[in-house]
Amino acid sequence: MISKSISKSLSLLALAVCIGFSANTYSDTMRCGSKLVKSGDSTTKVLLTCGEPLQKEYLGTRVTEERAHIRYTNPDYNETTGRTHISKKEVIVEKWTYGKKGQFLKFLIFRDGVLDTVETGGRY
C-alpha cells in the first residue's frame, strides 16, 4: 500500500519536472505557421519564416564590453605579470512586433541582427 502511494508521488514529481524543463526550453521561441523561430536566429531567417512584422522599432545601440586577462610568466625571475585587454563593441538593438487579431502580440528583440528574446504582450 505504501509503495503504491510512493510510486504515484514519484510519477507525479517526474511529470512536473518534465513539464518544467519543456516550458523553459521553448521560452524564447515563436511559432510562425508550422515553423518555429528561436533565440539565435538571424533577422533574415525570421523574415523568411514569419514574413514582415506589424512594426519594426530601432531601440538604439548598446555598448558591450569584454574583458580578457592575459597572464605572462617569466620563469627566469619566478614572477607572473599580466594585463587586461578590454574590447568594446556597439550592438544595434531592434524590436519587431508580430500578431494577428484576437491573439497575443509577440515582441522579438534583436541584438546585432540576432534574435535574443521573445516577449508576449497583450491581445491584438
Side-chain angles (χ1 to χ4, degrees):
M1 196 69 140
I2 293 175
S3 65
K4 190 174 184 180
S5 65
I6 291 174
S7 175
K8 187 176 180 180
S9 296
L10 287 175
S11 296
L12 289 174
L13 178 64
L15 178 63
V17 167
C18 288
I19 290 171
F21 280 129
S22 66
N24 287 338
T25 304
Y26 298 109
S27 61
D28 281 334
T29 62
M30 184 178 82
R31 181 167 297 284
C32 296
S34 63
K35 298 181 180 178
L36 285 177
V37 292
K38 63 187 181 314
S39 294
D41 287 347
S42 68
T43 53
T44 304
K45 180 173 182 190
V46 173
L47 274 175
L48 290 173
T49 305
C50 302
E52 281 292 327
L54 296 172
Q55 182 178 6
K56 288 183 185 180
E57 294 177 69
Y58 172 74
L59 299 180
T61 58
R62 305 287 189 269
V63 176
T64 61
E65 193 174 278
E66 268 188 37
R67 294 175 179 263
H69 188 73
I70 303 168
R71 299 180 117 197
Y72 303 98
T73 303
N74 186 340
D76 296 335
Y77 298 103
N78 196 23
E79 63 184 24
T80 301
T81 60
R83 77 170 214 233
T84 300
H85 176 73
I86 300 172
S87 62
K88 293 184 179 187
K89 180 181 177 186
E90 268 194 327
V91 176
I92 296 171
V93 182
E94 290 181 283
K95 178 179 173 182
W96 292 9
T97 304
Y98 283 91
K100 293 181 181 177
K101 292 265 187 210
Q103 295 182 352
F104 290 103
L105 291 172
K106 293 288 188 173
F107 304 107
L108 282 62
I109 310 297
F110 292 91
R111 297 184 194 288
D112 226 16
V114 176
L115 182 56
D116 185 55
T117 56
V118 178
E119 300 170 356
T120 302
R123 287 196 184 268
Y124 178 56

